[in-house]
Amino acid sequence: MSHKGSSTRGPMPRAKAAGYAPTIVAENIAAGPYNQPQVLAQWAASSGHIANIMIPQLRDFGIGKAVGSDGKTVYWSAVYAAPR
């Protein structure tokens, strides 16, 4: 799991491709046996992740979850952005 997408270099191009016109984009990702409260607690305990969440210009966010083929690994992505 990486911030770099399969066909992009990061969350900014993915947001643009989805039709969002951002001025700023940040992303938090995680993979493991986490439920939502656990992943949010992990991000809150990480200085880099909480810094993304606390960027003052951010106005919008989305969070996604996918379960791996093993049925145990949960992949999380949170994207934070501000429109033009």
mmCIF file of all heavy atoms in Angstrom, residues 18-38:
data_model
loop_
_atom_site.group_PDB
_atom_site.id
_atom_site.type_symbol
_atom_site.label_atom_id
_atom_site.label_comp_id
_atom_site.label_asym_id
_atom_site.label_seq_id
_atom_site.Cartn_x
_atom_site.Cartn_y
_atom_site.Cartn_z
ATOM 1 N N ALA A 18 -11.120 12.413 -10.383
ATOM 2 C CA ALA A 18 -12.477 12.155 -9.894
ATOM 3 C C ALA A 18 -13.393 13.369 -10.077
ATOM 4 O O ALA A 18 -14.562 13.317 -9.705
ATOM 5 C CB ALA A 18 -12.429 11.753 -8.420
ATOM 6 N N GLY A 19 -12.855 14.468 -10.632
ATOM 7 C CA GLY A 19 -13.668 15.640 -10.885
ATOM 8 C C GLY A 19 -13.595 16.717 -9.826
ATOM 9 O O GLY A 19 -14.310 17.711 -9.901
ATOM 10 N N TYR A 20 -12.744 16.531 -8.831
ATOM 11 C CA TYR A 20 -12.563 17.530 -7.769
ATOM 12 C C TYR A 20 -11.473 18.495 -8.227
ATOM 13 O O TYR A 20 -10.458 18.069 -8.773
ATOM 14 C CB TYR A 20 -12.158 16.817 -6.483
ATOM 15 C CG TYR A 20 -12.154 17.676 -5.246
ATOM 16 C CD1 TYR A 20 -13.304 17.816 -4.486
ATOM 17 C CD2 TYR A 20 -11.008 18.320 -4.829
ATOM 18 C CE1 TYR A 20 -13.307 18.585 -3.336
ATOM 19 C CE2 TYR A 20 -11.002 19.094 -3.684
ATOM 20 C CZ TYR A 20 -12.152 19.225 -2.940
ATOM 21 O OH TYR A 20 -12.151 19.994 -1.801
ATOM 22 N N ALA A 21 -11.653 19.781 -8.016
ATOM 23 C CA ALA A 21 -10.661 20.791 -8.388
ATOM 24 C C ALA A 21 -9.969 21.297 -7.118
ATOM 25 O O ALA A 21 -10.376 22.296 -6.539
ATOM 26 C CB ALA A 21 -11.327 21.938 -9.141
ATOM 27 N N PRO A 22 -8.920 20.622 -6.665
ATOM 28 C CA PRO A 22 -8.305 20.967 -5.384
ATOM 29 C C PRO A 22 -7.227 22.039 -5.483
ATOM 30 O O PRO A 22 -6.578 22.197 -6.506
ATOM 31 C CB PRO A 22 -7.667 19.647 -4.956
ATOM 32 C CG PRO A 22 -7.292 18.995 -6.244
ATOM 33 C CD PRO A 22 -8.358 19.402 -7.227
ATOM 34 N N THR A 23 -7.050 22.743 -4.373
ATOM 35 C CA THR A 23 -5.877 23.599 -4.203
ATOM 36 C C THR A 23 -4.845 22.888 -3.329
ATOM 37 O O THR A 23 -3.664 23.172 -3.420
ATOM 38 C CB THR A 23 -6.242 24.936 -3.526
ATOM 39 O OG1 THR A 23 -6.845 24.665 -2.264
ATOM 40 C CG2 THR A 23 -7.180 25.739 -4.384
ATOM 41 N N ILE A 24 -5.323 21.982 -2.491
ATOM 42 C CA ILE A 24 -4.452 21.216 -1.599
ATOM 43 C C ILE A 24 -5.105 19.861 -1.354
ATOM 44 O O ILE A 24 -6.332 19.756 -1.273
ATOM 45 C CB ILE A 24 -4.210 21.965 -0.266
ATOM 46 C CG1 ILE A 24 -3.198 21.217 0.615
ATOM 47 C CG2 ILE A 24 -5.502 22.239 0.462
ATOM 48 C CD1 ILE A 24 -2.765 21.992 1.850
ATOM 49 N N VAL A 25 -4.275 18.835 -1.265
ATOM 50 C CA VAL A 25 -4.751 17.481 -0.967
ATOM 51 C C VAL A 25 -3.746 16.818 -0.037
ATOM 52 O O VAL A 25 -2.538 16.949 -0.217
ATOM 53 C CB VAL A 25 -4.901 16.621 -2.246
ATOM 54 C CG1 VAL A 25 -5.315 15.207 -1.903
ATOM 55 C CG2 VAL A 25 -5.893 17.230 -3.217
ATOM 56 N N ALA A 26 -4.233 16.106 0.968
ATOM 57 C CA ALA A 26 -3.405 15.292 1.854
ATOM 58 C C ALA A 26 -4.081 13.928 1.985
ATOM 59 O O ALA A 26 -5.286 13.806 1.766
ATOM 60 C CB ALA A 26 -3.261 15.952 3.222
ATOM 61 N N GLU A 27 -3.305 12.925 2.334
ATOM 62 C CA GLU A 27 -3.853 11.570 2.413
ATOM 63 C C GLU A 27 -3.230 10.810 3.567
ATOM 64 O O GLU A 27 -2.020 10.897 3.792
ATOM 65 C CB GLU A 27 -3.573 10.839 1.094
ATOM 66 C CG GLU A 27 -4.051 9.409 1.058
ATOM 67 C CD GLU A 27 -3.718 8.747 -0.271
ATOM 68 O OE1 GLU A 27 -2.523 8.653 -0.626
ATOM 69 O OE2 GLU A 27 -4.667 8.335 -0.952
ATOM 70 N N ASN A 28 -4.040 10.069 4.290
ATOM 71 C CA ASN A 28 -3.570 9.117 5.295
ATOM 72 C C ASN A 28 -3.974 7.727 4.831
ATOM 73 O O ASN A 28 -5.094 7.534 4.357
ATOM 74 C CB ASN A 28 -4.198 9.394 6.662
ATOM 75 C CG ASN A 28 -3.651 10.636 7.320
ATOM 76 O OD1 ASN A 28 -2.620 11.158 6.925
ATOM 77 N ND2 ASN A 28 -4.339 11.131 8.324
ATOM 78 N N ILE A 29 -3.074 6.764 4.974
ATOM 79 C CA ILE A 29 -3.374 5.383 4.613
ATOM 80 C C ILE A 29 -2.943 4.458 5.743
ATOM 81 O O ILE A 29 -2.090 4.805 6.558
ATOM 82 C CB ILE A 29 -2.701 4.967 3.278
ATOM 83 C CG1 ILE A 29 -1.179 5.117 3.346
ATOM 84 C CG2 ILE A 29 -3.278 5.769 2.117
ATOM 85 C CD1 ILE A 29 -0.441 4.605 2.105
ATOM 86 N N ALA A 30 -3.556 3.290 5.776
ATOM 87 C CA ALA A 30 -3.194 2.275 6.770
ATOM 88 C C ALA A 30 -3.643 0.916 6.265
ATOM 89 O O ALA A 30 -4.592 0.812 5.494
ATOM 90 C CB ALA A 30 -3.863 2.566 8.111
ATOM 91 N N ALA A 31 -2.951 -0.114 6.701
ATOM 92 C CA ALA A 31 -3.333 -1.488 6.386
ATOM 93 C C ALA A 31 -3.052 -2.345 7.609
ATOM 94 O O ALA A 31 -2.008 -2.232 8.233
ATOM 95 C CB ALA A 31 -2.559 -2.017 5.187
ATOM 96 N N GLY A 32 -4.004 -3.181 7.955
ATOM 97 C CA GLY A 32 -3.844 -4.055 9.110
ATOM 98 C C GLY A 32 -5.192 -4.547 9.576
ATOM 99 O O GLY A 32 -6.200 -4.349 8.908
ATOM 100 N N PRO A 33 -5.227 -5.141 10.736
ATOM 101 C CA PRO A 33 -6.488 -5.659 11.264
ATOM 102 C C PRO A 33 -7.270 -4.593 12.028
ATOM 103 O O PRO A 33 -7.734 -4.817 13.141
ATOM 104 C CB PRO A 33 -6.028 -6.782 12.192
ATOM 105 C CG PRO A 33 -4.721 -6.277 12.738
ATOM 106 C CD PRO A 33 -4.093 -5.519 11.581
ATOM 107 N N TYR A 34 -7.386 -3.393 11.441
ATOM 108 C CA TYR A 34 -7.968 -2.257 12.145
ATOM 109 C C TYR A 34 -9.447 -2.067 11.828
ATOM 110 O O TYR A 34 -9.850 -2.132 10.675
ATOM 111 C CB TYR A 34 -7.267 -0.949 11.743
ATOM 112 C CG TYR A 34 -5.785 -0.932 11.956
ATOM 113 C CD1 TYR A 34 -4.922 -0.686 10.903
ATOM 114 C CD2 TYR A 34 -5.238 -1.133 13.219
ATOM 115 C CE1 TYR A 34 -3.546 -0.650 11.093
ATOM 116 C CE2 TYR A 34 -3.872 -1.104 13.415
ATOM 117 C CZ TYR A 34 -3.025 -0.864 12.351
ATOM 118 O OH TYR A 34 -1.674 -0.829 12.549
ATOM 119 N N ASN A 35 -10.224 -1.774 12.868
ATOM 120 C CA ASN A 35 -11.583 -1.278 12.626
ATOM 121 C C ASN A 35 -11.483 0.256 12.588
ATOM 122 O O ASN A 35 -10.408 0.823 12.786
ATOM 123 C CB ASN A 35 -12.569 -1.787 13.681
ATOM 124 C CG ASN A 35 -12.220 -1.352 15.093
ATOM 125 O OD1 ASN A 35 -11.660 -0.280 15.312
ATOM 126 N ND2 ASN A 35 -12.539 -2.185 16.072
ATOM 127 N N GLN A 36 -12.590 0.938 12.326
ATOM 128 C CA GLN A 36 -12.515 2.388 12.162
ATOM 129 C C GLN A 36 -11.997 3.107 13.404
ATOM 130 O O GLN A 36 -11.098 3.942 13.286
ATOM 131 C CB GLN A 36 -13.859 2.960 11.732
ATOM 132 C CG GLN A 36 -13.765 4.447 11.420
ATOM 133 C CD GLN A 36 -15.048 5.013 10.858
ATOM 134 O OE1 GLN A 36 -16.021 4.309 10.657
ATOM 135 N NE2 GLN A 36 -15.048 6.298 10.596
ATOM 136 N N PRO A 37 -12.500 2.826 14.614
ATOM 137 C CA PRO A 37 -11.946 3.524 15.778
ATOM 138 C C PRO A 37 -10.443 3.272 15.954
ATOM 139 O O PRO A 37 -9.703 4.171 16.350
ATOM 140 C CB PRO A 37 -12.742 2.961 16.956
ATOM 141 C CG PRO A 37 -14.045 2.516 16.352
ATOM 142 C CD PRO A 37 -13.674 2.017 14.983
ATOM 143 N N GLN A 38 -9.989 2.066 15.642
ATOM 144 C CA GLN A 38 -8.568 1.757 15.794
ATOM 145 C C GLN A 38 -7.712 2.529 14.794
ATOM 146 O O GLN A 38 -6.657 3.052 15.158
ATOM 147 C CB GLN A 38 -8.330 0.258 15.624
ATOM 148 C CG GLN A 38 -8.872 -0.570 16.768
ATOM 149 C CD GLN A 38 -8.848 -2.055 16.460
ATOM 150 O OE1 GLN A 38 -9.089 -2.475 15.323
ATOM 151 N NE2 GLN A 38 -8.573 -2.859 17.472
#
